[in-house]
């Protein structure tokens, strides 16, 4: 018999995230959204954001994918717990959930699976504790979903690697202490991953970008101008970048889907509350069949997405050691479906609120703006369609 019941451990993690998000994040979510990206230039708001990031580490949330010997909790690689955290953070503030994703992937997936013992001991403990902010520098001005098209170069020069190029739309870049950089070897053209620390000569970041949604997640360009990095910062060997990226993409798409579900749930809960309170024609609008239809459509999309998410996690964990040519069918489908679902659900939420839903005094306006991101980031919906078809035709 199938069992969709969370374990006691996962229930405890879910409860802890909900309590933390409501107490520490929710009171600031609107300010982060309204004053982004300038909140990074406001001393009070920036300190509040950094305090939240550190508290996530103090609670052990950064450690769910990291083994206990490197500062994590349990045996590490608990993908379900990580998805739950993205889900519940996304429900309250999607930008904070975005900022939680890079350390989860860089440390919990890439360094944990491909790093040397020295790299693990140097980088995993401070990341697990929330003492080091991590960023994934992959996307470029002319290479988003087409990772093979990256132009940032890496070249060996004695005991160092020299990096040149630029990255675009990089989450956490304006505040990051550590960058995971995907670059092409100048000599062989092979893709490799390398770690670059804040303060390295030749590394710089642009001004924070003013986004449509997910505005509490700092985003900017990253530039490498003859950036010299110690050779020991290379992850794996030259050419391992594709393998690392494939494993990271699998998890990234699960976490994107979890965030989508969180945003959609927030919209549904706000819509149910409003529909019970708003009076029209002498009775709450929840009594009208048209509004009930919208609520039913929202709930159906969310419940379907939950089942798809749980299946994708099970599928990835079951087959994580099997070689793949491209991301699995389940992760492409769950990201694709939830990307469409969250847009529909948040649009329905605004519809239920009517004119009030279109102004910033009510949260459904923010949820609808937040809903668009993961049809673009983490591989566009069109890329997901292509990958779904490739899996079917393989």
């Amino acid at each position: 018999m199938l069992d969709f019941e969370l374990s006691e451990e996962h229930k405890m993690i879910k409860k802890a995230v909900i309590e933390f998000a409501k107490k520490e994040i929710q009171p600031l979510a609107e300010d982060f959204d309204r004053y982004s990206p300038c909140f990074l230039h406001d001393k009070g708001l920036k300190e509040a954001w950094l305090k939240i990031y550190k508290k996530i580490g103090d609670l052990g949330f950064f450690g769910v994918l990291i083994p206990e010997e490197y500062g994590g909790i349990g045996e590490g690689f608990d993908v379900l717990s990580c998805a739950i955290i993205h889900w519940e953070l996304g429900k309250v503030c999607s930008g904070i959930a975005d900022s939680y994703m890079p350390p989860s992937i860089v440390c919990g997936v890439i360094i944990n699976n491909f790093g040397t013992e020295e790299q693990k001991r140097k980088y995993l403990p401070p990341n697990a504790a929330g003492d080091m902010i991590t960023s994934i520098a992959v996307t470029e001005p002319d290479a988003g979903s087409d990772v093979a098209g990256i132009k940032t170069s890496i070249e060996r020069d004695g005991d160092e690697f020299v990096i040149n190029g630029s990255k675009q739309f990089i989450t956490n870049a304006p505040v990051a202490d550590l960058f995971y950089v995907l670059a092409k070897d100048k000599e062989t053209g092979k893709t490799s991953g390398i770690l670059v620390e804040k303060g390295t000569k030749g590394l710089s970041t642009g001004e924070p970008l003013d986004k449509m949604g997910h505005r509490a997640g700092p985003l900017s360009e990253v530039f490498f101008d003859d950036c010299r990095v110690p050779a020991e910062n290379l992850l794996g060997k030259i050419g391992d970048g594709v393998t690392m990226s494939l494993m990271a993409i699998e998890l990234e798409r699960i976490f994107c889907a979890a965030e989508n579900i969180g945003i959609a749930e927030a919209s549904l809960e706000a819509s149910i509350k409003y529909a019970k309170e708003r009076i029209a024609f002498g009775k709450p609008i929840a009594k009208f069949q048209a509004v009930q239809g919208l609520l039913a459509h929202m709930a159906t999309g969310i419940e379907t997405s939950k089942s798809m998410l749980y299946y994708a996690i099970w599928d990835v964990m079951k087959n994580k050691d099997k070689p793949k040519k491209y991301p699995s069918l389940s992760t492409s489908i769950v990201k694709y479906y939830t990307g469409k679902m969250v847009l529909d659900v948040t649009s329905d939420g605004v519809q239920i609120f009517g004119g009030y839903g279109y102004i910033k005094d009510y949260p459904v306006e923010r949820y609808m703006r937040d809903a668009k991101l993961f049809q673009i980031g983490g591989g566009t919906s069109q890329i997901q369609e292509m990958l779904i078809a490739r899996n079917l035709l393989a």
Side-chain angles (χ1 to χ4, degrees):
M1 181 177 178
L2 293 175
D3 185 3
F4 284 85
E5 184 73 22
L6 293 177
S7 68
E8 288 304 313
E9 181 183 357
H10 288 117
K11 286 178 182 177
M12 287 174 59
I13 288 174
K14 187 179 181 74
K15 183 174 182 287
V17 183
I18 291 171
E19 290 177 352
F20 163 68
K22 284 184 177 179
K23 180 182 177 182
E24 305 283 348
I25 302 175
Q26 197 164 45
L28 292 164
E30 290 296 333
D31 284 344
F32 286 146
D33 180 79
R34 187 160 301 201
Y35 300 112
S36 177
C38 297
F39 79 79
L40 290 177
H41 300 303
D42 180 286
K43 184 179 179 182
L45 281 176
K46 183 176 180 180
E47 285 182 355
W49 190 96
L50 292 171
K51 181 181 177 182
I52 286 170
Y53 191 96
K54 173 59 176 150
K55 187 67 178 290
I56 292 172
D58 291 341
L59 291 169
F61 298 157
F62 286 128
V64 296
L65 293 180
I66 297 173
E68 194 171 2
E69 62 182 303
Y70 301 113
I73 58 176
E75 297 178 3
F77 218 65
D78 185 349
V79 177
L80 177 55
S81 285
C82 203
I84 289 169
I85 295 166
H86 279 95
W87 179 336
E88 295 300 340
L89 290 178
K91 192 171 180 178
V92 173
C93 183
S94 59
I96 296 292
D98 290 350
S99 288
Y100 173 71
M101 196 179 299
S104 301
I105 292 172
V106 172
C107 299
V109 181
I110 297 175
I111 298 177
N112 193 26
N113 285 277
F114 298 94
T116 63
E117 185 64 23
E118 291 74 21
Q119 289 169 339
K120 290 178 184 180
R121 297 206 175 277
K122 181 178 182 181
Y123 296 113
L124 295 187
N127 271 276
D131 293 328
M132 178 179 280
I133 301 175
T134 311
S135 186
I136 305 173
V138 174
T139 300
E140 297 185 2
D142 296 318
S145 296
D146 177 20
V147 175
I150 63 172
K151 296 177 182 176
T152 297
S153 66
I154 184 172
E155 183 178 20
R156 185 71 182 251
D157 183 17
D159 293 332
E160 296 178 317
F161 281 102
V162 182
I163 308 171
N164 280 287
S166 64
K167 300 292 183 177
Q168 176 69 294
F169 308 131
I170 306 304
T171 300
N172 286 353
V175 290
D177 301 301
L178 180 70
F179 296 83
Y180 166 76
V181 183
L182 203 63
K184 275 189 177 177
D185 183 60
K186 243 184 170 182
E187 186 177 335
T188 65
K190 293 180 178 180
T191 307
S192 303
I194 192 165
L195 299 171
V196 183
E197 297 180 14
K198 178 183 178 180
T200 301
K201 187 177 179 180
L203 166 69
S204 61
T205 59
E207 281 295 307
L209 298 172
D210 197 359
K211 299 181 291 179
M212 176 186 193
H214 292 244
R215 289 166 59 82
L219 195 81
S220 76
E221 296 171 288
V222 182
F223 305 100
F224 304 94
D225 183 11
D226 285 335
C227 179
R228 290 184 168 271
V229 180
E232 59 263 27
N233 282 27
L234 184 73
L235 281 160
K237 59 183 184 297
I238 292 291
D240 281 351
V242 173
T243 304
M244 293 178 200
S245 296
L246 189 56
M247 180 178 282
I249 284 169
E250 292 266 77
L251 274 295
E252 179 186 33
R253 290 178 182 175
I254 283 174
F255 302 151
C256 289
E259 278 194 51
N260 284 337
I261 294 170
I263 295 166
E265 276 194 337
S267 185
L268 175 60
E269 289 178 8
S271 297
I272 291 171
K273 183 176 185 296
Y274 181 80
K276 288 178 177 179
E277 296 172 350
R278 174 75 161 95
I279 305 297
F281 303 101
K283 58 184 177 181
I285 62 172
K287 298 287 186 180
F288 293 104
Q289 190 173 9
V291 173
Q292 291 175 1
L294 289 172
L295 293 172
H297 177 251
M298 295 166 79
T300 300
I302 291 168
E303 292 304 317
T304 303
S305 297
K306 289 180 186 179
S307 296
M308 295 172 72
L309 177 67
Y310 292 139
Y311 175 78
I313 293 170
W314 172 85
D315 182 50
V316 164
M317 294 305 294
K318 180 174 180 284
N319 299 296
K320 66 184 178 68
D321 296 322
K322 293 182 180 179
K324 299 182 182 74
K325 290 173 63 178
Y326 28 77
S328 62
L329 182 63
S330 62
T331 58
S332 294
I333 285 178
V334 75
K335 184 178 184 298
Y336 177 68
Y337 181 84
T338 61
K340 293 168 68 69
M341 176 277 298
V342 71
L343 275 174
D344 289 343
V345 167
T346 54
S347 178
D348 287 343
V350 170
Q351 192 70 21
I352 289 170
F353 273 74
Y356 293 111
Y358 204 68
I359 60 175
K360 292 184 180 295
D361 291 344
Y362 291 84
V364 288
E365 180 270 343
R366 170 163 61 94
Y367 302 148
M368 190 172 178
R369 284 188 286 107
D370 289 343
K372 184 60 186 173
L373 177 61
F374 290 133
Q375 282 203 336
I376 301 168
T380 65
S381 292
Q382 288 68 39
I383 289 294
Q384 305 313 317
E385 290 176 339
M386 181 185 73
L387 290 170
I388 290 166
R390 283 183 179 177
N391 271 286
L392 295 175
L393 298 171

